[in-house]
Amino acid sequence: MTVSLEQLRRCHVAVDLGAARTRVYVKGLGLVVDEPSVAAVNTRTGSLIAVGALAEQMTGRTPDYIRVARPVTGGTVVDIEMAQRMLRHLLGEKLRRQLRRKPRLRAAACTPHDSDPLAQRAAVETLVGLGARRVELVDTLIAAAVGCGLPVEQPTATMIMVCGAATTQIAVLSLGSIVTAVRIPVGGDAIDHAVIQHLRQHHALMLPSQSVRPLQLALSGSGLNARGPVTTEIHGRDVATGLARSVQVDTAAVREAIHAPLTAVLDGLGAILRDCPPDLVADLVDCGIMMVGGSALLPGLDQMLRDATGMPVHIAERPDVCAVLGLGAMLDGKIEPLVLDPIAC
């Protein structure tokens, strides 16, 4: 952890700026914002039309003068000004007024593992623009591990897998620090893209962007496993004629399309286990892998990891909000560090 728990206890607000959703935790109030990281802008006037869920509904349905922007990509702020405007509207005037009353407002933010200094600076500037006098950065892997209740401060190995929209982060933790970790540029968006490409190539069908995730859940029951319905009816637009069309999609073929991007995740998981000390790998045989993040809910993904590693795989109770709840637990002082007193010689 790059910041001490004592410094985090002095913070007033915690922010998790994700590629898919933005979440804000305020000390004393709990989780106050959980909305998609999307903003709709009028390009003629520069005014903000909508943010959050309403802006996400506008994706692919707007006229030319309205642009739907995503200021966060892969956990990194790529448009600081837009991210600040989005956060202001998500917080609301009443909550921002309460935060401005703090004499020295301190904020904490999640950053992806091994993020570069420019990405960290963008996160800091985003919160400074909202009035924060000081910003503490916490690795997403540690925050998520705390949020799902893993004993990160103990001298035993715990493995966490953060399945995000743009990236998948895997780490082995011990004594409150990261022993070995990897960040893979494959997430829920890559799985969506694989499904869209499969339907376009094999069925000449263009699928609406907001129908991709329901298609994955249509495999539910079966998910990535070879059980469930053989075919699923999908509605979309014909590539050649542009007319609405329905096709019967072979679910086994869709599963194969989804498996392709997940190969990189399995390779990264194998690399982590190879780099991990043998004593910690022995601990992982018992405790297994904890999955968090929105993409962890993909049906059958946990079973696929069990088959590939032979280790138990668990999904957190609230996998999508573990990171911000972990930051909130640090802010509220619910996490006690392991104190190692020096031995007198």
Side-chain angles (χ1 to χ4, degrees), residues 107-157:
C110 291
T111 56
H113 175 71
D114 203 21
S115 57
D116 57 80
L118 288 178
Q120 296 179 10
R121 184 176 181 83
V124 171
E125 290 187 2
T126 299
L127 298 183
V128 167
L130 294 176
R133 301 292 296 274
R134 184 181 177 89
V135 179
E136 309 290 358
L137 300 179
V138 179
D139 197 302
T140 302
L141 291 164
I142 294 180
V146 171
C148 63
L150 291 179
V152 294
E153 298 295 335
Q154 299 303 316
T156 57

Side-chain angles (χ1 to χ4, degrees), residues 47-63:
S47 59
L48 204 61
I49 297 175
V51 296
L54 180 58
E56 188 176 48
Q57 293 174 7
M58 296 181 180
T59 304
R61 296 185 171 94
T62 60

Side-chain angles (χ1 to χ4, degrees), residues 278-302:
D279 290 339
L280 295 183
V281 174
D283 293 341
L284 295 177
V285 173
D286 297 327
C287 63
I289 305 170
M290 178 64 74
M291 295 175 60
V292 302
S295 299
L297 298 174
L298 179 65
L301 179 58
D302 54 341

Side-chain angles (χ1 to χ4, degrees), residues 165-169 182-187 190 261 264-265:
T167 61
T168 298
Q169 303 175 65
V182 65
R183 183 168 59 155
I184 307 160
V186 173
V265 176

